[in-house]
DNA sequence: CTAGAACCTGACGTTGACGTCAGAGGCAAG
DNA sequence: CTTGCCTCTGACGTCAACGTCAGGTTCTAG
């Protein structure tokens, strides 16, 4: 398929796909006229890249890890790298959970009728307190 | 305390604190000469801000939420906003968990002796497969 | 009183993951 | 054949959260 279809199917922009290729995260074959062509599984590959970006990995880190994710090569270093990134993500999950619980507490407090800042009745033009 | 001490105690840079004030996330009183002074609880405030930044919230979003986090005001809108952000974080946790599990699978595969890419013996100058 | 650390404002620099625009070529339909 | 959409390269623009530098003031230890 060509780049437009891949973009649509993977849910990213055409620009992003060219950027991924530039960063060594995605390959393409070229037609004689220079147009990029991709196999079916490129969709999965792009979604994996998105997943890793979403976890806060940089292009360079992803480029380092992808060959190992493809299960084509495995050195002690690459496995350590994978484990390190997994641990980073684990820590990130813990942090996010703490943040969510904190927000939950705030919501509970401000929703509870016993709370000091519960909302009751008509929109009382209450002056928001300063910072 | 002055800005340098707050920075040290909260684990951020002086520049970051001035930026937070600029964004309306932090207040300070000023000495006659113009130097910023902070109360003790500013440390907690800064760490909360860091926490929210860490969860991917923008300055503007944090500025919107902070008054409610302070449990000073609560409108249906602000509570909805808090809940929306919490839900976003929840979704983020789910996504991160999926990503971590994916990495875990890769690690298991590449570590398992049955795996097609296990590392054995001396560093065999194995050619990493292309992208 | 003076040196040096800390602070001030203002402003430009940085980085990553793209967005966007220009100008030119490619491809299927009518 | 030409119309219109897709694609190409190259290059500049963007945005957020600061980093960093300049040039000047203030505080504090000796």
């Amino acid at each position: 398929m060509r780049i437009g279809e891949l973009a649509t199917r993977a849910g990213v922009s055409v620009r992003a796909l060219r950027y991924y290729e530039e960063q060594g995260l995605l390959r393409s074959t070229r037609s004689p006229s220079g147009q990029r062509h991709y196999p079916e599984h490129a969709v999965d590959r792009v979604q994996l890249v998105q997943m890793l970006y979403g976890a806060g990995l940089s292009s360079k880190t992803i480029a380092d890890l992808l060959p190992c994710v493809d299960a084509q090569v495995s050195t002690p270093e690459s496995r350590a790298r994978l484990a390190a990134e997994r641990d980073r993500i684990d820590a990130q999950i813990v942090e996010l959970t703490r943040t969510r619980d904190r927000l939950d507490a705030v919501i509970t407090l401000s929703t509870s009728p016993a709370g000091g800042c519960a909302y009751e009745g008509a929109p009382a033009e209450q002056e928001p307190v300063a910072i």
Side-chain angles (χ1 to χ4, degrees), chain A:
Chain A
M1 79 190 79
R2 290 190 300 171
I3 199 170
E5 187 183 346
L6 178 57
T8 302
R9 289 178 54 182
V12 304
S13 69
V14 165
R15 177 67 175 92
L17 294 181
R18 289 200 268 251
Y19 178 74
Y20 295 168
E21 183 168 327
E22 192 181 315
Q23 300 299 307
L25 311 179
L26 189 61
R27 267 192 316 176
S28 67
T29 57
R30 299 298 187 107
S31 72
S33 63
Q35 299 204 341
R36 292 170 177 87
H37 286 269
Y38 303 92
E40 284 300 316
H41 63 263
V43 176
D44 296 340
R45 162 57 53 115
V46 171
Q47 285 171 348
L48 171 61
V49 168
Q50 285 281 106
M51 193 176 202
L52 296 175
Y53 271 129
L57 308 204
S58 69
S59 292
K60 179 164 173 22
T61 304
I62 297 176
D64 289 350
L65 296 186
L66 274 184
C68 195
V69 172
D70 286 337
Q72 303 281 13
V73 296
S74 174
T75 67
E77 294 77 25
S78 68
R79 265 178 279 130
R81 188 69 185 275
L82 279 172
E85 291 304 327
R86 183 206 45 195
D87 292 348
R88 234 183 32 72
I89 293 174
D90 266 336
Q92 205 173 330
I93 291 174
V94 169
E95 255 306 287
L96 278 178
T97 303
R98 295 203 324 129
T99 305
R100 188 207 47 194
D101 291 347
R102 177 84 188 255
L103 277 186
D104 260 339
V106 171
I107 291 170
T108 303
L109 274 177
S110 69
T111 307
S112 145
C117 65
Y119 174 81
E120 296 141 8
E125 288 290 342
Q126 195 172 4
E127 194 68 25
V129 94
I131 315 159

